Amino acid sequence: MGRGRVQLKRIENKINRQVTFSKRRSGLLKKAHEISILCDAEVALIVFSHKGKLFEYSSDSSMETILERYERYSYAERQLVASESDPQGNWSMDYNRLKAKVELLQRNHRHYMGEELDSLSLKELQNLEQQLDTALKLIHQGEGEDSRAAAAAAAVAVGAARPWPQLIILSAATASALSEYRWHIPGRSNRNEEE
Amino acid sequence: MGRGRVQLKRIENKINRQVTFSKRRSGLLKKAHEISILCDAEVALIVFSHKGKLFEYSSDSSMETILERYERYSYAERQLVASESDPQGNWSMDYNRLKAKVELLQRNHRHYMGEELDSLSLKELQNLEQQLDTALKLIHQGEGEDSRAAAAAAAVAVGAARPWPQLIILSAATASALSEYRWHIPGRSNRNEEE
DNA sequence: GTATCTATATATAAGTG
DNA sequence: TCACTTATATATAGATA
């Protein structure tokens, strides 16, 4: 991209490396921004220079938010320093308690992600399902406060053989297209809320 | 960078946006890699497509490592935990990082519980909604593995005036009762997914 | 969705102040 | 270190398969 070709290997000349870093960094940040705008993508970019200085870019929603989202997707459990507690310390007490808390929350988290469901009992699975259900309802409630309009919906669902209530999710696009049918269910009264 | 100039604004044409995303994404990843090699920098790049698919790049050291470093770096600034650090500082370092993590997870958790939604931007709310959606789908998938039966459903939903996809929840009892109607939607093909 | 294939727009390596 | 310039290398928009 310049007068000379560049081998893909560390630039040994310190000055050149610094200059190149500065130029390419700004180019990289620019492109990260562009793709986020042009393609409506969420981008988080973190760069530590050789000397340890931090540069970052994150699209609209904050870096925090994106990293959270990332962790939701791919949280590889990493072993937090399994340190030997110090015999007397407040530190170790707090530390260990904190560590336990993290482990619990992370396990929880994975379940919220729909991961490791195998390890759950039937009862626990029900609870989880209900919890997710409730959360989504709360979200919808919040949305409903802004707009009083109500809509009807229909959708395709999967796997309904388990003995407990089955939750089904669909998009409004699908839903509204089907809305006109809700008043024609034979032998069934109209209802605006599910069970 | 092509035959036409491009305005820095969201590409409305869906196809073009997708194609551009694909091309620019690979370009961005490539450049991220290049700067990391050429300039000996540590780079972490996270990209979520408009539809929520994750793409990532991280230089040599793992993504986790870089994110950790980032958290350490930015938290160090934000939280001047002026604790009486132990001489070596290891404990307080780990402790603070752990504390940061707990806070992150707890905030996350509250959101999963449908709490503190006010603090979320529209974009963030969408993400959360989509995440919950995904989790429930995974659960249903698991259930589906046990029983191959699939069911159709219809239901009444609330508040669908927001511009983003609205998720609707209903019980299987309601759903299955309405199932027979899904194949009779005029001018609409059957689909199991939105978009 | 993917993969080419150009013509052009951009990025940037070197050079200069 | 920056700010510009310039020649070139790359990236990529649009078209097509």
Side-chain angles (χ1 to χ4, degrees), chain B residues 6 16-17 27 34 46 49 61 71 74-75 79 82 84 88 97 101 103-104 106 108 117 134 153 157:
Chain B
V6 170
N16 286 347
R17 190 170 64 229
E34 287 176 353
I46 294 170
S49 77
S61 48
E71 285 177 12
S74 60
Y75 249 97
Q79 281 204 325
E84 299 59 78
Q88 304 116 358
R97 189 165 62 200
K101 174 160 283 189
E103 278 163 11
L104 190 71
Q106 285 184 329
N108 232 322
L117 299 177
T134 301

Side-chain angles (χ1 to χ4, degrees), chain A residues 1 6-11 17 21 24-25 28 31-32 34-35 37-48 50 52 54 56 63-65 67-73 75 78 80-81 83 91 94-95 98 101-102 105-106 109 112-113 117 129 131-133 135-136 138-140 143 146-147 149 151 153-159 161-162 164 166-172 174-175 177-178 181 184-186 188 191-195, chain B residues 1 6-11 17 21 24-25 28 31-32 34-35 37-48 50 52 56 63-64 67-71 73 78 91 94-95 98 101-102 104-109 112-114 117 123-124 127 129-133 135-136 138-140 143 146-147 149 151 153-162 164 166-172 174-175 177-178 181-182 184-186 188 192 194:
Chain A
M1 284 187 154
V6 170
Q7 300 273 329
L8 189 56
K9 66 172 200 178
R10 183 188 143 112
I11 297 170
R17 189 170 65 230
F21 179 68
R24 280 178 175 261
R25 169 167 41 82
L28 189 61
K31 281 192 175 293
E34 286 176 354
I35 199 177
I37 299 290
L38 291 172
C39 308
D40 201 15
E42 209 166 30
V43 180
L45 175 61
I46 295 171
V47 181
F48 284 103
H50 176 56
L54 170 66
E56 61 181 300
M63 178 64 81
E64 282 276 319
T65 309
L67 297 189
E68 263 181 52
R69 188 178 179 187
Y70 174 78
E71 291 183 358
R72 274 182 215 150
Y73 266 76
Y75 211 117
R78 93 190 99 113
L80 291 173
V81 201
S83 48
W91 275 108
D94 284 340
Y95 183 83
L98 218 49
K101 183 172 254 175
V102 166
L105 284 165
Q106 287 184 331
H109 191 255
Y112 279 128
M113 304 281 294
L117 298 176
E129 200 172 20
Q131 179 52 56
L132 292 170
D133 178 10
L136 271 173
L138 285 168
I139 291 177
H140 298 154
E143 291 167 354
D146 287 337
S147 65
V156 174
V158 294
R162 287 283 180 112
W164 61 81
Q166 174 79 38
L167 301 176
I168 289 105
I169 302 183
L170 55 148
S171 75
T174 306
L178 306 186
Y181 285 83
H184 307 306
I185 311 307
R188 228 188 139 78
R191 0 183 18 174
N192 290 326
E193 296 297 336
E194 63 275 16
E195 315 272 319
Chain B
M1 280 183 157
V6 170
Q7 302 271 330
L8 189 56
K9 66 171 201 179
R10 184 188 141 110
I11 296 170
R17 190 170 64 229
F21 178 70
R24 279 178 175 261
R25 170 166 42 82
L28 189 62
K31 280 190 175 296
E34 287 176 353
I35 199 177
I37 299 291
L38 291 172
C39 308
D40 201 17
E42 209 165 29
V43 180
L45 176 60
I46 294 170
V47 181
F48 284 104
H50 176 56
E56 62 181 297
M63 177 66 81
E64 279 294 314
L67 296 189
E68 259 182 57
R69 186 177 179 185
Y70 175 78
E71 285 177 12
Y73 198 102
R78 217 175 313 161
W91 275 101
D94 284 338
Y95 182 81
L98 216 52
K101 174 160 283 189
V102 165
L104 190 71
L105 285 166
Q106 285 184 329
R107 180 149 37 87
N108 232 322
H109 190 255
Y112 278 128
M113 304 284 290
L117 299 177
K123 196 80 180 175
E124 291 165 332
N127 290 340
E129 202 173 29
Q130 184 167 43
Q131 179 51 59
L132 291 171
D133 177 11
L136 271 173
L138 284 168
I139 292 178
H140 298 155
E143 291 168 354
D146 288 337
S147 64
V156 175
V158 295
R162 287 286 182 104
W164 61 81
Q166 173 80 36
L167 301 177
I168 288 107
I169 305 184
L170 55 148
S171 74
T174 305
L178 306 185
Y181 284 85
R182 73 159 152 149
H184 307 306
I185 310 310
R188 220 186 146 79
N192 290 328
E194 61 267 24

